[in-house]
Amino acid sequence: MLKMLPPLSVPKHLAIAVTFHFVEDRLKYLAMIAEHFTSLADKVTVYIITNRREKKELNLIADAVRGQGFDINFLTPIGLGHPFLLTWSHFVAFRTLMQDESVSHFMYLEDDILVRRESVEYWMQGRELLRKTPFYPSFLRVEKNEQDGRWYSSDCLKRHDVGSLPRVSFGQDLWFLNLPSPYQGMYLLDREQMQEHLTSASSVPEFHPLGWGIREQAAQGLSFARVPDGFRTRNLLAYWPQTSKIDERAFVHHTPNTYVLMAHQDVPLGSIPVDELLYRETDQAKQAEADLT
């Protein structure tokens, strides 16, 4: 085991921006994820970016999330030009929050991504471990198959040999792996990274290294900004080589379980169980970073 892991902690003041394109049937997902917001930090500020401004519909959104211990701020952008740009409107809240020096962290969420306290603790711990590198911890978007009770990767199209993945290693105790399918449906940044994101190409819709759709690009954060040679992205997933397991604290739940439900229809997403996603055929990793122990 590592001699000493950084202590578990949560942000002092976390600002959360959620994009919600109004569909009444999706309010249940928004309510599910909001139940966890107050547990994610000592203080939480929530912005909901929506395409509706009618009082009736704003009240429906408020009813879905009220009583959870945080204030709700609504933002309805005008003059979008295209409805898909709603996701990028979270930068209006982002820039406003940057003026508040008490905000220590910023999280962008799609309206159906459930993040638990243990996942934020995992990110905070990994951030400290990786602080001397350009990298930071990644989350893994997962879905639950109610038939077999297993977690499935929402976005990985195939299994991967651990030895073929770029990584940052802490001896044989803990590795941070660079998966080729980094989509999370969200991102989390501390204040230093917030400043970098706002002042880099990653904060504009024209920046799309993998050709993602315009809505998905808004969730990329710093994944593709200033990526070191030998790596695909800057966000890396924690993996425990002694047990050959991904750190389960990295899981964020795509609550509709959309792709698992569609897997039988020859849809490649949502078809690989998380515990089968990685295998160990060789330990000859393509490491662009030196062993950190």
Side-chain angles (χ1 to χ4, degrees):
M1 291 292 293
L2 288 172
K3 292 182 179 179
M4 183 177 295
L5 286 170
L8 296 178
S9 65
V10 293
K12 296 296 183 184
H13 183 181
L14 173 65
I16 301 173
V18 184
T19 300
F20 185 72
H21 186 278
F22 189 89
V23 176
E24 189 166 351
D25 189 51
R26 293 187 62 82
L27 287 168
K28 59 180 178 289
Y29 302 124
L30 182 62
M32 287 172 62
I33 71 173
E35 288 180 5
H36 295 266
F37 285 172
T38 55
S39 71
L40 303 183
D42 295 338
K43 178 181 178 181
V44 173
T45 299
V46 177
Y47 277 78
I48 296 179
I49 296 91
T50 182
N51 61 321
R52 299 299 178 87
R53 60 181 65 253
E54 295 82 359
K55 185 175 181 180
K56 177 183 176 181
E57 291 169 334
L58 293 179
N59 283 340
L60 286 173
I61 298 172
D63 287 344
V65 300
R66 68 164 41 112
Q68 302 290 349
F70 53 81
D71 293 330
I72 310 164
N73 303 279
F74 287 104
L75 174 62
T76 304
I78 59 175
L80 280 178
H82 195 289
F84 285 2
L85 287 171
L86 181 69
T87 55
W88 284 92
S89 298
H90 80 268
F91 278 96
V92 175
F94 194 159
R95 292 186 177 92
T96 299
L97 290 160
M98 199 65 193
Q99 307 305 312
D100 182 352
E101 294 186 0
S102 76
V103 174
S104 61
H105 294 74
F106 179 84
M107 179 185 289
Y108 168 70
L109 280 176
E110 294 178 355
D111 63 12
D112 55 12
I113 302 296
L114 195 157
V115 179
R116 301 179 187 275
R117 181 186 178 93
E118 64 182 9
S119 295
V120 173
E121 291 176 338
Y122 149 83
W123 189 94
M124 297 282 284
Q125 196 172 55
R127 171 68 169 140
E128 289 308 311
L129 286 170
L130 295 168
R131 187 168 290 280
K132 294 182 179 179
T133 77
F135 305 103
Y136 61 95
S138 184
F139 297 100
L140 182 70
R141 192 168 70 143
V142 297
E143 299 181 0
K144 190 71 170 286
N145 186 323
E146 298 299 339
Q147 293 185 339
D148 62 16
R150 300 171 76 183
W151 289 110
Y152 285 71
S153 168
S154 300
D155 305 287
C156 293
L157 299 177
K158 65 178 183 178
R159 300 176 67 220
H160 297 286
D161 177 7
V162 172
S164 71
L165 299 174
R167 73 187 186 218
V168 172
S169 300
F170 291 83
Q172 291 301 309
D173 294 319
L174 175 61
W175 299 344
F176 282 88
L177 306 177
N178 193 194
L179 268 64
S181 303
Y183 191 72
Q184 306 170 122
M186 53 85 66
Y187 64 81
L188 173 61
L189 303 174
D190 63 19
R191 196 162 183 85
E192 177 184 335
Q193 294 170 316
M194 289 168 64
Q195 182 64 36
E196 180 184 357
H197 190 27
L198 282 177
T199 57
S200 73
S202 60
S203 64
V204 296
E206 291 77 14
F207 183 73
H208 45 86
L210 285 190
W212 289 354
I214 191 70
R215 291 172 294 182
E216 290 78 14
Q217 291 168 29
Q220 66 191 355
L222 288 169
S223 296
F224 304 105
R226 305 184 183 99
V227 180
D229 291 343
F231 285 78
R232 300 178 181 91
T233 64
R234 284 171 59 183
N235 55 318
L236 310 180
L237 188 65
Y239 172 83
W240 300 96
Q242 301 294 346
T243 58
S244 299
K245 290 185 177 181
I246 296 168
D247 193 324
E248 294 185 0
R249 297 177 301 165
F251 295 177
V252 292
H253 184 194
H254 185 221
T255 51
N257 300 315
T258 306
Y259 301 115
V260 162
L261 294 173
M262 296 172 63
H264 66 284
Q265 302 175 20
D266 297 324
V267 176
L269 301 174
S271 61
I272 303 176
V274 173
D275 57 9
E276 296 179 13
L277 179 60
L278 302 177
Y279 62 93
R280 302 269 302 267
E281 184 172 292
T282 173
D283 285 328
Q284 300 303 311
K286 298 175 181 177
Q287 290 179 261
E289 286 288 312
D291 192 303
L292 296 185
T293 55

